[in-house]
């Protein structure tokens, strides 16, 4: 879980203080198994050097912006390829949202070659880790989807047969998601915004895969298994969420991280109870 010591070797070009930034601000970094964390840090060095970073007038330029954005973008390619970002060029930061460019209702956007993000929402999305909202992961899922210029929920597949199977499955899964949101029945583990179109289905589904892993696996197991194939990862098997305070205390005492198992269990039980009620409601709707 994360890097067990700040003194552990770091990839060339990776600053040790970046670990402190990520442990404090990025829940997914604290949750990553240690072998994946080491690989992530190596990708981050490449990513930070590759990207043209821009800050707009209302936001003060900070290194943590680059570090946090790079970490979350690179989680998506840990078991894929840097080629996913071959056409991608720049990240633009705004203080809160995209109001300065005429999009006041947008926290961020992506067009294949660049990501624009309000830091307020980027920070809020990465700190919690289980609220099913992560602006950085959402926008970089769009970048992966748009590698060839189309936003159609068709990321790169090495196997054409697998790509055709995913396309067929995603079409029907998206239709089912829309129907469930329209009828307000069944699982809502993929946010309602994911029912807007195929591109948002892929981006919101990706966020659910990383932030609500166990719930997605329980409620939509086929979708979870497809994202396992797409990203080559199994986040439901990763350690449960650990707070920065837990990690810091364990390091200070030189002890393994002790999770708040009671809190984790309560959260799990609450999610299962919510899903049980939704299934019950769905059954009642069908019986009418």
């Amino acid at each position: 879980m994360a890097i067990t010591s700040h003194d552990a070797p770091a990839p060339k070009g990776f600053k040790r203080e970046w670990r402190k930034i990520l442990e404090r601000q990025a829940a997914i970094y604290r949750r990553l198994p240690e072998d994946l964390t080491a690989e992530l840090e190596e990708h981050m060095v490449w990513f930070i050097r590759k990207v043209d970073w821009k800050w707009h007038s209302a936001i003060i330029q900070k290194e943590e912006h680059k570090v946090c954005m790079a970490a979350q973008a690179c989680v998506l390619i840990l078991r894929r390829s840097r080629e996913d970002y071959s056409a991608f060029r720049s990240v633009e930061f705004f203080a809160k949202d995209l109001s300065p460019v005429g999009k006041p209702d947008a926290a961020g956007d992506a067009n294949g070659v660049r990501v624009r993000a309000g830091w307020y929402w980027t920070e809020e999305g990465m700190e919690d880790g289980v609220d099913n909202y992560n602006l950085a992961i959402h926008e970089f899922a769009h970048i992966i989807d748009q590698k060839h210029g189309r936003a159609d929920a068709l990321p790169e597949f090495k196997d054409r047969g697998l790509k055709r199977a995913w396309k067929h499955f995603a079409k029907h899964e998206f239709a089912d998601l829309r129907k469930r949101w329209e009828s307000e029945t069944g699982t809502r583990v993929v946010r309602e915004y994911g029912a807007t179109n195929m591109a948002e289905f892929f981006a919101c589904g990706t966020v659910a895969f990383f932030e609500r892993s166990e719930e997605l696996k329980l409620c939509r197991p086929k979708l979870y298994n497809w994202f396992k194939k797409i990203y080559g990862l199994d986040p439901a098997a990763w350690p449960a969420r650990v707070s920065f305070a837990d990690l810091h205390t364990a390091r200070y005492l030189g002890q393994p991280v002790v999770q708040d198992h009671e809190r984790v269990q309560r959260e799990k039980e609450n999610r299962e109870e919510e899903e049980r009620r939704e299934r019950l409601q769905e059954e009642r709707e069908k019986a009418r």
Side-chain angles (χ1 to χ4, degrees), residues 117-283:
W119 178 249
Y120 174 88
W121 295 111
T122 303
E123 192 172 33
E124 174 142 322
M126 69 183 172
E127 283 181 336
D128 184 275
V130 292
D131 62 357
N132 214 12
Y133 178 82
N134 187 304
L135 180 63
I137 287 178
H138 183 103
E139 299 305 342
F140 278 97
H142 281 316
I143 294 295
I144 289 174
D145 181 22
Q146 296 175 40
K147 181 183 176 184
H148 298 296
R150 301 179 300 276
D152 52 8
L154 281 176
E156 187 86 352
F157 282 89
K158 292 181 180 179
D159 186 317
R160 290 186 179 181
L162 205 59
K163 183 175 182 177
R164 287 194 297 269
W166 159 252
K167 183 177 181 180
H168 177 77
F169 169 80
K171 179 181 177 181
H172 288 279
E173 189 77 354
F174 173 65
D176 182 68
L177 181 70
R178 291 191 64 180
K179 183 174 71 173
R180 288 173 185 269
W181 271 108
E182 287 172 0
S183 62
E184 298 185 354
T185 60
T187 178
R188 301 187 181 190
V189 63
V190 178
R191 292 172 55 227
E192 186 174 13
Y193 192 49
T196 306
N197 54 50
M198 289 295 290
E200 297 305 342
F201 163 73
F202 182 74
C204 290
T206 294
V207 173
F209 178 66
F210 285 104
E211 293 223 337
R212 294 283 180 87
S213 311
E214 291 185 1
E215 188 177 355
L216 185 66
K217 187 175 182 179
L218 173 68
C219 302
R220 289 184 174 267
K222 292 181 180 178
L223 180 59
Y224 183 86
N225 286 333
W226 266 110
F227 277 123
K228 273 181 64 178
K229 294 175 185 176
I230 290 169
Y231 291 110
L233 298 168
D234 186 9
W238 295 352
R241 181 178 180 242
V242 174
S243 72
F244 171 68
D246 290 339
L247 192 60
H248 181 76
T249 301
R251 287 245 176 82
Y252 179 76
L253 297 175
Q255 297 175 350
V257 177
V258 177
Q259 300 174 21
D260 184 349
H261 292 287
E262 291 185 3
R263 176 187 56 77
V264 171
Q265 184 61 28
R266 284 197 304 273
E267 291 178 353
K268 182 179 180 181
E269 289 173 355
N270 288 339
R271 290 195 300 270
E272 289 176 349
E273 176 60 23
E274 182 179 352
E275 174 58 21
R276 188 191 68 79
R277 289 197 299 267
E278 289 184 348
R279 284 199 302 269
L280 221 80
Q281 178 65 28
E282 184 178 10
E283 289 170 2

